[in-house]
Amino acid sequence: MATKPIKVAVFCATALATSTMAAMKLQEALNKRGITCRTTTGRISDLQSNVNLTHPDVVVATAVTNMNVGQPIFNGIPLLTGIGMDALVDEIVAYLKKENII
């Protein structure tokens, strides 16, 4: 689908295992749909500055946030539990298509 890798930023409370695991699962799910992506991870407290600096195509958070970063922040909990993961990936793909990113 995408001609160049999309940029995905995944945030959790501490930027350790949770965001890394969620990023890997999302990358795998997008790859299965023919979408190549590069993922970065970070702490939720750094979300605003990270988005301002890196301009990711997709923002995912496994921690609760009500920040406004100028684009949707997708709830990454399904990437950790597996429950609703396909629906989340569908939602992300629909967003990428709507925004003409892919």
Side-chain angles (χ1 to χ4, degrees):
M1 264 184 198
T3 56
K4 65 177 183 160
I6 61 165
K7 295 187 295 186
V8 177
V10 181
F11 298 90
C12 71
T14 61
L16 294 173
T18 304
S19 59
T20 301
M21 185 173 110
M24 289 178 11
K25 290 212 175 183
L26 182 56
Q27 187 170 19
E28 182 180 303
L30 290 172
N31 283 341
K32 285 181 180 177
R33 295 174 185 226
I35 301 169
T36 305
C37 68
R38 289 179 299 172
T39 58
T40 58
T41 59
R43 289 184 310 207
I44 197 76
S45 61
D46 298 331
L47 189 147
Q48 185 71 59
S49 60
N50 185 297
V51 169
N52 289 344
L53 287 172
T54 63
H55 307 287
D57 299 309
V58 174
V59 178
V60 176
T62 63
V64 175
T65 182
N66 61 359
M67 286 186 214
N68 180 355
V69 296
Q71 68 188 86
I73 300 173
F74 294 93
N75 178 351
I77 297 298
L79 297 168
L80 304 176
T81 65
I83 300 168
M85 190 167 123
D86 287 336
L88 171 63
V89 176
D90 289 343
E91 186 180 354
I92 291 171
V93 170
Y95 168 77
L96 291 168
K97 288 179 179 179
K98 183 181 108 194
E99 297 296 319
N100 293 317
I101 298 168
I102 58 170

